[in-house]
Amino acid sequence: MRILKSLMKFAVCLLTLAVITGSGTVMAAAPYETYTYSYEGDVQISPNAYMPEQKVSSFGEAGPLNSPADIIVDAQGNLVVADKDNDRVVILDPNTFRSVKIIDQYTDKTGTEQTFNKPQGVFSARDGKLYIADTDNGRIVVFDKEYRYLTTFDAPSADVLPENFKYNPKGIAVDKAGRIYVVSMNTNMGVIALDKNGQFEAFIGAQRVTPNLVELFWRAFMSEEQLSMTQNFVPMEYSNLTIDDKGFVYVTASSIDRYSLFNAVWSRSSDSTYAPIKKINPSGTDVLQRNGFFPPVGDINFDPYTGQKEPVEPSAITEVALLQNGMYCLVDKEYSKVFTYDSYGNLLYAFGGEGEALGLFGQLVSVAYKGDNLLALDSVDNSITVFQKTEYAKKLDEVIGYQERREYDKAIASWEEIVGLNNNFDMAYLGIGKTLLEQEKYQQAMDNFRLINNRSYYSKAFKLYRQQILDKIGILLIAVVVILIIGVVKFFGYAKKCNSRLKTAGTTVTFGAEILYGFHLIFHPFDGFWDLKHEKRGGIRGAVFWLCAAVFAQLYGVLGQGYLMGEKGSLGGALLNILIPFTLWIIANWCLTSLMDGKGSFRDIFIATSYAMIPMVLFTIPCTAISNFLITEELGILSFAIGLGTFWMGLLVFFGAMVTHEYSLGKNILVSILSIIGIALILFLLMTFFSLTGRMIDWIVNMINEISFRL
C-alpha cells in the first residue's frame, strides 16, 4: 500500500511537471502576455514563446554589473558583456554565469597600459576575434579568441568627415572579409564603413529625410510643445547594428518622429523613410521586406495626435538580434519588450515588459541567443534573465524553416498544428494561405486569406485563380459578354423606338412607357424634363419605379459587392443614405421654390428627382456585379464609373429642377445652393429635436426614479 501511495505521489509530481513545462500552461506562469497583432491592428494573445527561468545578478569574481550596454555570444560560445559604467568587458561561462575573463585593462603595442571608458558595443567575428567599441575613448579595440590584445583602431580620418566630427562608437559589426561597420553617437550621416585595417571607406545607408505634404499640414496645426518633440528634417541617427552571414547590415534607429512613424504604421507603408529597422546591402540600399500586416516598428498602438490613447510614445528600437531562417528580433528600450519577426516582416510574437517579477525588466537593452535560450540584459537591474524557448516557439521555427526551404506539405501540416495551439493567430492562416498559393491551390488560399481579412493576399490569389478559370472557359466567357453587350444595345434601341412613338400630348401612356421614357430623359435632359412635366410623358408610376430601382441598386451595392471592395455597410444605412437625401432635397427645394416663383409643384419635384436617379441605377448595379470579378488594382475603374454615375445623376437633378421651375441658369444655381443649406438646417433642427427629446426622456425617467426612491 505504501509503495502504491509513493507511486501515486511520483505520478502526480510528473504530471505537475509536465503541466508546468508544457506549452499549454506556460502562458499562465509568465508575468507577461505574449501577443501579436491581427490584420486590423487588434492585440491577439498567444501562447508564450519564451518562459523566464532565472535572473542572474552575481557573476563570480566579476561581481555585479553596472549599467551594462550589450551582450553577445562569441565564437567560443561564451557570453560577452559590455559592462559600461564599470569600464570593462566581462566574459561569462554560459552555463554557470561565472566570469571566465575580465578585460578592464590591456597593454597596447607601445607598451602602454590602457583602460576602457564606457564601452557600449561588442562583436565576435567568425574567426574568433573580439571587437570592442570603446565609446568614450573614441576607438575600437580588437582581441583574439583567447582574449589577448591584438590592435586598436582609432578615430578614422577622411576629407568627407566634417570638421566637428566626434567619434564615439557604440555599435560594431564585422563581415567575413574583415570590413568593419560602426555606429557612432551623434552621427546622422549613416553607418561608418572601415576596411580591415580601420581606414575610413564610406558612409553607407544614410537616410535622407524630406518633408511631405501630410507632415507639413500637421505641423501647421501643432503647438510649440508638439513641434519641439518632432524631429527636424535631418537624417536619422542610428542606435545599433549587426550583420548576417550574407553580409547584409541590420541597423536600428530609436529616435524617430512619432507623428511620421504613426502615419507610416497605419498606412501600412513599406517605405523605409521612418523605419526603425533597416537591412542594408553592400551598396547602401535598404532591402528589408515589410510585407507583414504592419511594418516592423515594435508596438503599433500609440497615438501621438490626441494623447488620449496609451501608450502615447512609440517603441524605441535600440538593438536587432538575428535568428535562423531570416528571423530577427527587435529590442524595445521604451517598454522593455522583445518583438520577433520573420524575414517578410510578419510579427511572430512579442513579450516582456517593465516590472520586478522574473521575466520583466527595469530597462531591457540587449539580447543574445544561445541554443534554445534567450539571454536578456537589464541595464537598470544589472542582471541577465535567462528565457527558455517553448514548444510553441520551436514549432514556429520549424514551419518558417519549411517555408524557406519550400517544403510546402510539411509547412501546411506545421501551420495546422500551430492553429491547434493558437487558433487566434492570423499569421498562421496567412502562412497556410501563402503555402497553398505556392502550391497553386488558389481557391483554398483565398479561403485562408479571407479568414484573416487580408485583402492584399486575397487579391493575389484571386488573380491567379481567375486566370486559371479563364484558361478553361475563356471563349465561353467572351461569348457571354458579347451577348450581354448586344442585348444592352438592342434594349436601348427598343427603348428609343418606343419613345419615338409617344410624342403627342394626350396620348395614354402605359406604365411600361413611363419606365422606358427614362432612357430618353437621361440623354436629353432639357427636352426630357420639359416633356415629363408638360407632355405627361412620365408620371407617378414611373417615378416610383425608378425610386424603387434606386433603392434596390443601393441595397444590392451593399449585399452584392465583391469582397475586395471593402467592408460591407448595413442595409439600414444604405436605405437611409438614399432616402434621407432624396426626401430632404424635395422638401427643401419645394419650400424655397414656393417662395422664389418656382413653377413646379411638390409632385413635379418628386417625379423629376426620381427620374434623375436613373444613372445611379444603370451604373451601380453592373459595377456591383463586376466587382466580384476584379482584383484590387482594377477596382479604381469601378470607383471612377460609380463616380461618373453619381455626377451624371447630380447634373440631372440640377437640370430637372431648372426645367421644372422654369428658372434661368443663375437663379437655379442660387436656389440649389440655398436648397443644400436648407437640407443642412433641417438636419440640424432634427438632431436638436432628438437630442432635446432624449434629454427630456432621461429627465422624466430620473424624476420617476427619484420619486420612487423617496416613497
Side-chain angles (χ1 to χ4, degrees):
M1 189 69 176
R2 186 177 296 176
I3 296 174
L4 181 61
K5 288 183 178 180
S6 299
L7 289 173
M8 291 178 64
K9 288 181 179 179
F10 182 69
V12 170
C13 290
L14 287 178
L15 181 61
T16 304
L17 182 61
V19 170
I20 292 173
T21 58
S23 61
T25 41
V26 166
M27 286 179 61
Y32 48 76
E33 288 182 329
T34 302
Y35 62 93
T36 59
Y37 293 110
S38 69
Y39 185 78
E40 288 78 16
D42 300 319
V43 172
Q44 294 182 322
I45 305 302
S46 72
N48 288 309
Y50 284 88
M51 285 295 299
E53 282 193 336
Q54 62 173 320
K55 178 186 289 188
V56 184
S57 54
S58 180
F59 305 94
E61 294 181 4
L65 305 175
N66 190 2
S67 297
D70 195 14
I71 184 172
I72 64 168
V73 178
D74 69 10
Q76 288 69 248
N78 293 322
L79 308 182
V80 183
V81 179
D83 193 7
K84 179 167 71 78
D85 284 358
N86 278 332
D87 298 322
R88 65 182 184 174
V89 172
V90 180
I91 317 298
L92 303 173
D93 183 282
N95 299 311
T96 65
F97 293 93
R98 299 184 67 82
S99 57
V100 175
K101 178 82 172 177
I102 301 171
I103 309 175
D104 54 4
Q105 61 182 4
Y106 58 92
T107 303
D108 64 16
K109 291 181 178 181
T110 65
T112 305
E113 289 291 324
Q114 299 285 351
T115 58
F116 295 107
N117 189 3
K118 311 297 182 188
Q120 294 193 39
V122 286
F123 185 85
S124 179
R126 294 170 65 92
D127 59 5
K129 291 180 181 177
L130 180 64
Y131 292 76
I132 300 170
D134 192 3
T135 306
D136 284 7
N137 279 330
R139 61 193 180 188
I140 295 169
V141 187
V142 187
F143 294 79
D144 66 14
K145 62 182 181 180
E146 303 296 332
Y147 312 115
R148 294 174 300 205
Y149 171 79
L150 286 178
T151 188
T152 300
F153 299 133
D154 293 315
S157 59
D159 293 338
V160 298
L161 296 174
E163 293 183 2
N164 59 348
F165 176 71
K166 190 175 181 180
Y167 188 58
N168 295 112
K170 62 177 179 178
I172 186 171
V174 183
D175 65 16
K176 290 186 286 187
R179 196 182 189 198
I180 305 168
Y181 301 90
V182 179
V183 167
S184 179
M185 297 174 63
N186 305 312
T187 300
N188 57 15
M189 300 174 68
V191 176
I192 301 170
L194 311 174
D195 66 16
K196 62 181 181 180
N197 298 314
Q199 299 300 307
F200 179 84
E201 288 190 343
F203 284 105
I204 64 170
Q207 181 65 65
R208 300 299 175 187
V209 181
T210 56
N212 56 43
L213 293 177
V214 175
E215 292 162 350
L216 292 174
F217 173 80
W218 281 112
R219 284 172 176 263
F221 295 95
M222 289 181 187
S223 65
E224 292 185 4
E225 182 182 359
Q226 290 174 326
L227 284 171
S228 66
M229 291 186 287
T230 63
Q231 291 183 341
N232 294 322
F233 296 112
V234 297
M236 292 180 295
E237 177 184 339
Y238 292 134
S239 57
N240 216 321
L241 81 169
T242 191
I243 192 168
D244 64 15
D245 293 336
K246 297 179 180 179
F248 291 100
V249 178
Y250 293 73
V251 293
T252 60
S254 58
S255 58
I256 300 176
D257 179 12
R258 62 188 186 182
Y259 298 92
S260 301
L261 184 61
F262 180 86
N263 293 331
V265 169
W266 290 101
S267 65
R268 305 177 189 269
S269 174
S270 59
D271 183 68
S272 65
T273 302
Y274 298 105
I277 169 69
K278 304 179 193 293
K279 180 181 179 182
I280 301 173
N281 65 13
S283 65
T285 304
D286 178 33
V287 294
L288 187 77
Q289 295 195 57
R290 300 178 176 86
N291 300 325
F293 301 154
F294 298 90
V297 299
D299 265 323
I300 65 171
N301 289 322
F302 64 98
D303 189 351
Y305 291 105
T306 65
Q308 299 301 311
K309 189 177 179 181
E310 295 293 340
V312 176
E313 297 292 339
S315 295
I317 306 302
T318 56
E319 187 183 84
V320 55
L322 305 181
L323 296 86
Q324 70 274 23
N325 299 317
M327 299 164 59
Y328 58 91
C329 84
L330 302 180
V331 174
D332 173 14
K333 187 177 178 180
E334 180 72 26
Y335 301 106
S336 293
K337 293 181 180 180
V338 178
F339 295 83
T340 302
Y341 300 85
D342 69 5
S343 61
Y344 299 100
N346 296 295
L347 178 62
L348 300 176
Y349 45 81
F351 67 94
E354 299 174 332
E356 297 181 356
L358 179 62
L360 302 178
F361 309 96
Q363 187 171 74
L364 177 65
V365 292
S366 181
V367 299
Y369 293 89
K370 183 171 177 56
D372 289 339
N373 287 338
L374 184 152
L375 310 168
L377 186 65
D378 190 333
S379 66
V380 171
D381 203 32
N382 298 312
S383 63
I384 299 173
T385 301
V386 182
F387 293 83
Q388 178 68 33
K389 184 183 294 185
T390 66
E391 291 301 319
Y392 177 72
K394 292 178 182 178
K395 185 58 66 175
L396 282 173
D397 292 346
E398 180 184 78
V399 71
I400 290 171
Y402 288 147
Q403 288 191 162
E404 290 290 324
R405 297 188 296 272
R406 300 182 180 275
E407 299 177 26
Y408 299 127
D409 291 334
K410 293 181 179 179
I412 289 179
S414 291
W415 277 123
E416 289 174 346
E417 289 183 41
I418 290 171
V419 170
L421 296 172
N422 180 18
N423 60 9
N424 195 35
F425 188 26
D426 283 4
M427 175 63 190
Y429 299 103
L430 177 65
I432 294 172
K434 289 170 69 175
T435 305
L436 291 168
L437 191 62
E438 293 287 347
Q439 294 180 311
E440 300 183 359
K441 298 177 181 178
Y442 305 128
Q443 194 170 11
Q444 294 170 267
M446 289 159 53
D447 292 338
N448 280 275
F449 296 141
R450 190 159 184 170
L451 280 173
I452 59 174
N453 201 27
N454 192 320
R455 289 184 171 82
S456 175
Y457 271 102
Y458 182 94
S459 180
K460 294 178 182 178
F462 180 67
K463 181 181 181 179
L464 296 168
Y465 177 66
R466 185 179 65 180
Q467 186 59 51
Q468 198 177 61
I469 299 297
L470 289 174
D471 291 340
K472 295 179 180 178
I473 61 169
I475 297 175
L476 178 62
L477 187 62
I478 293 172
V480 171
V481 171
V482 170
I483 292 171
L484 286 174
I485 293 173
I486 294 172
V488 171
V489 172
K490 290 284 187 182
F491 175 79
F492 274 94
Y494 170 76
K496 185 177 181 180
K497 288 180 181 179
C498 291
N499 286 313
S500 300
R501 298 193 198 110
L502 297 171
K503 292 184 175 181
T504 306
T507 303
T508 302
V509 181
T510 64
F511 179 47
E514 288 186 8
I515 295 172
L516 291 176
Y517 181 70
F519 295 99
H520 169 77
L521 181 145
I522 61 176
F523 295 110
H524 307 87
F526 291 102
D527 293 339
F529 283 114
W530 179 268
D531 291 346
L532 184 67
K533 178 182 178 182
H534 297 281
E535 303 294 333
K536 308 300 181 184
R537 297 287 302 277
I540 289 291
R541 294 176 303 175
V544 171
F545 172 84
W546 284 116
L547 175 61
C548 292
V551 171
F552 170 79
Q554 194 78 354
L555 296 177
Y556 177 62
V558 172
L559 291 174
Q561 72 176 25
Y563 169 68
L564 294 176
M565 288 288 289
E567 297 295 331
K568 294 183 179 181
S570 65
L571 293 179
L575 194 63
L576 293 176
N577 285 340
I578 186 170
L579 291 181
I580 290 179
F582 177 84
T583 305
L584 292 180
W585 167 262
I586 294 174
I587 294 172
N589 192 257
W590 176 71
C591 292
L592 283 167
T593 55
S594 299
L595 302 174
M596 301 182 70
D597 302 322
K599 301 296 177 62
S601 64
F602 188 91
R603 180 178 182 274
D604 295 332
I605 300 171
F606 172 80
I607 293 174
T609 305
S610 297
Y611 274 88
M613 301 181 76
I614 294 176
M616 187 181 75
V617 178
L618 299 182
F619 279 83
T620 301
I621 293 177
C623 284
T624 300
I626 294 171
S627 71
N628 291 278
F629 304 96
L630 299 183
I631 61 175
T632 302
E633 292 80 4
E634 300 164 346
L635 292 177
I637 302 171
L638 294 188
S639 299
F640 174 78
I642 293 173
L644 181 63
T646 304
F647 177 73
W648 192 353
M649 180 186 70
L651 287 179
L652 290 178
V653 171
F654 177 80
F655 290 129
M658 182 176 170
V659 174
T660 300
H661 300 297
E662 300 180 24
Y663 282 157
S664 65
L665 178 62
K667 188 172 183 178
N668 194 55
I669 292 174
L670 175 63
V671 173
S672 297
I673 293 173
L674 292 175
S675 297
I676 294 172
I677 296 173
I679 290 172
L681 181 61
I682 293 171
L683 287 173
F684 173 76
L685 292 174
L686 287 173
M687 291 172 63
T688 303
F689 171 76
F690 287 119
S691 177
L692 292 175
T693 302
R695 292 183 180 182
M696 179 66 72
I697 293 172
D698 289 340
W699 181 81
I700 293 173
V701 171
N702 290 332
M703 286 295 295
I704 293 172
N705 291 334
E706 183 69 20
I707 293 171
S708 301
F709 177 76
R710 292 182 180 276
L711 291 177

